[in-house]
Amino acid sequence: MGACKEDTLDRYPTDASVIESYYKTPNDATMAVNAAYNMLLRDDWWSLYIYSEILSDNCAGGAGSGDGGGFQRLDRLLQWPEADAFQIHWRTYYGAIYRTNIYLESEGLINWTGKESLRNQYKAEIRFLRAYYHFYLARMFGNIPALDHSLLPGEIPSRSTPEALYGLIIDDLKYCIENGLSTPYSQMTEANWGRATKWAAEAMLARVFLYYTGYYNKTEINGINNNVVQTYLDDVIANSGHGLVDHYASLWRVPTYSELKSIDLYAGEKNKEVVWSIRYNITGAGGNLYGASWWQRMIGPRNTNVDPYGNGWGAAPVLPTTWNMYENGDTRKTATILSWADEGLTYDFTGAQQAQYTGYNLKKYDIASIEKRPEDVVMGGTDWQTEAFEDYIVIRYSDVLLMAAELHLLNGDAATALNYVNQVRTRAFGNTEHNLSSITLDAIYNERRLEFVGEGIRYYDILRYCKGDFSKLVNYLTYVDQNDGGDFSKSIDTESLDVDGNSFAEKKGLFQIPQAEINLMKGKIQQNEGYN
Amino acid sequence: MKKLLALFATSMLMCVTALSQERTVTGTVKDASGTGLPGVNVIVKGSSNGVITDLDGKFSIKVPGDNAVLQVSFIGYKTEEVSVGQQNSFAVTLNEDVKQMDEVVVVGYGVQKKKLVTGATVQVKSEDLTKNNVTRIESALQGLTPGMSIVKQSGQPGSNYNITIRGLGSVNGSEPLVLIDGVPGSMSSVNPSDIETVDVLKDAASAAIYGSRAGNGVILITTKKGKTGKMQISYDGYYGISNPWKKVDVLNASQYMGIMNEQQRNDGRTPYFSAEDSISNSVNTDWQDVVTNKNAPQQSHYLAITGGNEYSTFSISLSQNKEEGIFDFEGKSKFERLGFRINSDHKVKSYLQIGENLTYTHRDSRALGTGNQYNNFMRQVLSASPLIKPYDETVYDGFGRSKNNKVKGLGVPYDGQINPIADMHYNYNGHTKNDDIVGNIYAELEPVKGLKLRSDFGGTLTYSYYSEFNDTFHLTPYTYNTLQNVKQNVYRNFGYNFDNTATYTKDIGNHNFLVMIGMNNQDNWFFNIIGERKGYLTSSAPILNNVSSNLKLDTANGNFGKGDARISYFGRIAYNYNEMILFSASLRRDASSRFGANNRVGYFRAFSGGFVLTKLDMFSTLEWLNFLKIRASWGENGVEPNRPYMFLATVNAANKTYAFGSGISPNIVPNPALRWEASQQLDIGFESRFLNCLSFSFDYYVKTSKDWIIPVTVPGISGIAGINERVNPYKNAGKVTNTGVEFDVTYAKNFGDFALELKGNLSYNENKVNEVPDSIIHGSSSVLYNGSEEFCRVQEGMPMGFFWGYKTDGILQSKQEADEYNSKLKRQQAVPGDVRFVDTNGDGILDQKDKVMIGDPHPDIIFGFGATASYKAWDFSMNISGQLGNQIVQCYRMQETAYGNYTTEILDRWRWTDANANGIVDAGESNNSSRPRVTNGKETNKNWRNISDLYVYDGDFLRVKSINLGHDLKKSLLKNIPVGQLRLYVSATNILTITKYNGIDPEVGYGSYYDNAGNLTDAFASGIDMGFYPSAITYLVGVNVKF
């Protein structure tokens, strides 16, 4: 009877590496960085970018009349029917933060000889991502715990102070500004497109700074104030090579089809206006492969395909007030919004089981119709649910211009502010006839709303405009539906589009932290106000 | 009469004694069919004088005189004694020994006399296995094995079975360990005709010798061995036709239009169909008819040759099975198996025996989807609109589309209603071919009497090839494929199993000892390549080379390496005193690569004892009692993790790609302390035999299974608890108890030429979860239909996977009832025709807290009954199986879409008694309906969106699994033909099913499912009828020939 040595039972998988022996070469680092970027693709059906359109005064909740009314409830910042509806965000983004922290803790094990600049670049990108992921959660849930390390087993942190949380985010972005790729747009290679550059970090820092100082009514954080941020934005304007494309509609596929009538005029996903985007692709089709953007499928007209508008699940139907706010001649109106009546199209919204039909749908990020799908086919799509692949532009150059305008105005330089705003308006109208002659903060705010409908920006602008006085939300977010009496969903208590802004004020605009997570953290973190 | 004869014989003996003198006599030994038996021992009783019969069964022996007695014995036959007298030539017929109590059964690493067994085992023999004429062993075992629940996963030819022995013990499933001639394998690779015996080790003590993998029970399959004697050729063949045993009553076209219109009216909308539509409509498609493969053929051929002499024996066979599904389209549901087997044993020296078993099996299968809501053709069939034409030459591809659709774009229908046969045409294109080789070679040495050293090396080689070609199609806006694609996958796995045992038996007086020690080593290697290519293809041949254009989108994955491995040591001691007092103990030490180095060793103990009461004087004198044994056993076993490396911290690349390239990050958090799921079982039972014809056995058991390997819920903030990937650490937790009793009774008696055997068994099991971490393990949502609530879970105090939902208390028949209901419950806005859900906790709000157990998928009782009778050339057999006390959740319809068809149950819905065209009449008073009003599914009251007992049905059934009638022409008309047997038979399978269940089949084996990532999900779930591929009624004619 032969004795067998039991160390032959030490078996390791062939399609995975054991963690202790993994981080060795710069190539390993590349893979680990890619995995950290990969978390950008995980919004699944539910993205903060749709949420914030619905929560804002741009859009209603919509979606399916049989869906349980989740989006309509969200529109009112009520709890979703499932108490843990937002757990996916909590888990996904803390998972993303974990990947960045694991990288930062492990990159010291790598032999970087001869590749020191790559090391700095990767570290800069990872810190940018850590900031972005924190900021995503911070906007949803308020002052969450900021994590600058991977947690030990059993370690449960408390909430961070806003200063600590935003301090970490700002420091990370500053690090990226100082160490990130500073290649100008014209020299940016295909392979590096989508990396967090110095320009992306400067723009993102401005967005974070404006949100933080607005929401918490502060003026400064970690040495960053209006003046510093203004210099960052001016740096992007002067040195990044980014700029506005000629046609507003050409920034997205479906608006290109509907407004410019030829996909040849599409500016493409790598156009100069894109300061930073999330690079979706088609590989998510047909399963959880995390490449496609599922959430984009939520916004198309429900169960209806009308060339060039592809079918979706009908979330975030545009409010009539949003359609009506545009001046005549503003190309942004029809590039942003599909008006069924104005385009002479009919929509059997009852047959399609659309909740809260308003007559308007978003065009940006809608997925092209079946007739326009051959292009998608080239990408290999087979499953309509998961084949949305259009890059989501997180920060456009026009946002850089408008943020810069805001800071210049605050710093007393109205002329530059006016210039920047008018650059945006000239492009929007295709001429200078609608340019403003003078500038106010409200005019900039108004321009921001017109410019960014459907891009997930408006709600967080509103929150920061309050300067910590959330009673102001009542004015922004209370609205009564003019067309009441239409066939709106009966799946929740309300049958109209009416929204009461008080619900937002008492919750300070924040989401409910998933109760299951609070339980798992043994109550170390308290629920947000207004949800008990 | 008997006494008289005995007296006569005795007096004869006395007479002849005086005349005794030594002489040589000759004779022939034959079996019951008249074939000469070679190798039979013939000895003169009380002497060492013996001979062995030759190839023709002839012998010649010296006898001391007329009073000598010849003892004729042969393994497997009843020993005969023949008084010599003055005769010189003898014709001895040996009958096969079928007496239960002298049977030998297979136990772990050996065989044992059944009467000495101290555990709860059950043996099923070849002749019972082949009676059902089925291609799968599992099906053959149904109804024959008390304590075993055997449910087919689908009625599709070649489909697998779920086997649960003595109740579900783990949330990770219940798959028992299967050993084929000692080699771990799969029951799918063995033809039932090749099997000599199937032995099931049910109690923990019997199974504990297999330790770490025996927690769900052990099934030992022994294939047919050769026999000494003349070569025998036998052929068994049958041909049969199958048809569905029933149809589900769904709405026909006019009923469908009526219900759809009523649905619209109830929602305050315009009806879809006008009166003219109803009159002009000529389409009324019965989809079940359309997809039925009428008289689906099946056939089986089995050719075997056995033989051998005193040195070598062999058994070889060749077999083929072919079966088409009863539901089919374009040949997409069929199964074919081809195999051969070579077993041989050789006595090299008096002290050395060697042998081998080798089986090759080829399986070729095509299957329609029988899985979850998205991959289930039967569900499509049951819910498809009867208004869709199956075929329509006006549509570009010839398949009908939904008629009330607004056709847009490419002629793509609008409402998402799919023509099921178009779906079957374009999908389910997979084709699987498997090749399995299972074999072992052994040597057994007996250096000194009583000591046997056995070394057995076995291997399993599995090779599987999968191909698929998908063409482009457009069925609805949501169901299409815009790019052709092909897939080619190859899997190969080789595993070896090496057993070495030493067994020593010694009898000291009436003290009989057995000591066995042994070791086992298992290891395996795997290899796979998975390739997919999308593009425009030159032809529909499913090969990757077929892409014509520049456009090639490829997915290629491959892996190879060492799999899991185990090293084990084990031992058993057994003792009996005069076959009266029985005792056995075993211990196994297992080390498995599925655990970390510090925690990979486990010890599994077992003890058992028995007492044969009929050996006592006080019982031995009872004529009516032939045998009575009481026994008790206790033992422990383990269950391994179903995936390797769950203890290890690894990083991997799956789903971590970004635009810059592939990524790598941690994919699991380690738990080096992970250990076996543990199972302990106490068994108390007795076996008895009365009046030489009636056997009765009983078992009571308590099986406790604990320490399930389950993912730990960790706070999301740790970052390791991703929602969509498995990075959670695993831990051991949880506990469930199965308590049950089993009865088994057999009556067998011959009345002259008439032989009768009746067998019945019944088992009762109660499954109760004792501990669950965090008190609940949740089942998935979106199982019954897209967006459906969780309804199946594991919770303390409840049976595993019990159905969880709202209780209902009828339908609100009138406005008054609805108002009353609304006034009692906050936020309810029910209207007449809605469901009255029960506020079970009485807090005035209807919410999750009101959900209770609404059904139990586990049967309380499983039973089987078999009858066998023969009269001269005729034989008859029947086998019944069934179960009682389980519930089934049925959902054939996507509840969130309006257009799906209903079963006719909906005709008993609540409706307005005098609705006008718009239906807006407030006069719907009580009509005692049992189903809620029909709506588009968006009513406030969530009549169907709330999972309630409306979905739950009783699943009791009794099924006549088989009836056989055979006639052996050799025994009647053709006595002179040169064959041993020429039996013709007719047989019917599933000819009768008695059940109240209104679904397509009460024997529903669906519950757990594979998610998109291919992970088994909800392994604790069962009894879910999402549209099930049902059993068939099969009529067969067959022939058995022996030469």
Side-chain angles (χ1 to χ4, degrees), chain B residues 299-373:
Chain B
Q299 53 178 300
S300 167
H301 305 282
Y302 180 78
L303 183 68
I305 305 174
T306 58
N309 55 30
E310 57 199 286
Y311 300 113
S312 293
T313 59
F314 73 94
S315 166
I316 62 177
S317 75
L318 182 65
S319 63
Q320 186 198 26
N321 300 89
K322 260 182 165 174
E323 200 177 329
E324 285 184 22
I326 48 172
F327 293 107
D328 192 13
F329 192 69
E330 298 169 346
K332 288 187 172 181
S333 178
K334 62 181 183 187
F335 177 76
E336 188 175 345
R337 185 173 61 198
L338 195 70
F340 65 80
R341 180 179 48 83
I342 308 169
N343 291 354
S344 57
D345 299 277
H346 311 280
K347 216 166 188 127
V348 182
K349 301 280 176 194
S350 62
Y351 51 84
L352 177 65
Q353 181 168 336
I354 64 167
E356 56 72 40
N357 304 297
L358 180 70
T359 305
Y360 164 78
T361 312
H362 173 77
R363 281 174 292 153
D364 187 327
S365 56
R366 302 208 56 187
L368 295 167
T370 54
N372 64 22
Q373 51 166 322

Side-chain angles (χ1 to χ4, degrees), chain A residues 512-528:
Chain A
Q512 179 185 24
I513 294 177
Q515 191 56 43
E517 292 295 337
I518 291 181
N519 297 346
L520 286 168
M521 292 184 289
K522 303 186 167 62
K524 223 174 160 188
I525 285 177
Q526 301 299 309
Q527 185 55 272
N528 283 329

Side-chain angles (χ1 to χ4, degrees), chain A residues 194-238:
Chain A
R195 290 199 180 277
T197 59
K198 176 187 184 185
W199 325 117
E202 286 177 328
M204 185 59 74
L205 187 143
R207 179 177 285 176
V208 172
F209 175 81
L210 288 171
Y211 180 75
Y212 170 75
T213 51
Y215 187 89
Y216 293 101
N217 195 23
K218 307 276 180 173
T219 55
E220 182 269 348
I221 183 161
N222 286 13
I224 305 287
N225 56 26
N226 284 353
N227 288 316
V228 179
V229 177
Q230 183 193 306
T231 14
Y232 284 148
L233 291 171
D234 284 343
D235 184 39
V236 179
I237 292 165

Side-chain angles (χ1 to χ4, degrees), chain A residues 247-267 306-310 334-335 343 363-364 366-378 389-390:
Chain A
H247 301 288
Y248 183 82
S250 73
L251 287 162
W252 302 272
R253 284 162 195 268
V254 167
T256 304
Y257 279 119
S258 83
E259 302 307 297
L260 307 174
K261 308 298 180 198
S262 166
I263 195 65
D264 298 339
L265 298 172
Y266 176 49
V306 180
D307 189 31
Y309 310 110
T334 51
E343 298 197 15
K363 280 186 189 176
K364 291 174 185 171
D366 182 22
I367 296 157
S369 60
I370 291 164
E371 292 79 356
K372 295 292 184 288
R373 211 65 64 78
E375 179 205 358
D376 304 11
V377 167
V378 175
F389 55 83
E390 191 164 334

Side-chain angles (χ1 to χ4, degrees), chain B residues 430-467:
Chain B
H431 193 157
T432 311
K433 289 170 190 247
N434 280 297
D435 295 280
D436 297 321
I437 298 175
V438 183
N440 64 315
I441 183 160
Y442 74 89
E444 193 173 278
L445 189 69
E446 192 170 0
V448 293
K449 192 168 161 42
L451 176 65
K452 281 186 179 163
L453 305 174
R454 185 181 167 101
S455 186
D456 189 325
F457 184 86
T460 308
L461 177 66
T462 315
Y463 176 86
S464 159
Y465 170 76
Y466 176 85
S467 69

Side-chain angles (χ1 to χ4, degrees), chain B residues 777-791:
Chain B
I777 294 174
H778 296 275
S780 302
S781 48
S782 282
V783 168
L784 296 181
Y785 57 90
N786 190 12
S788 65
E789 298 170 328
E790 170 196 353
F791 69 100

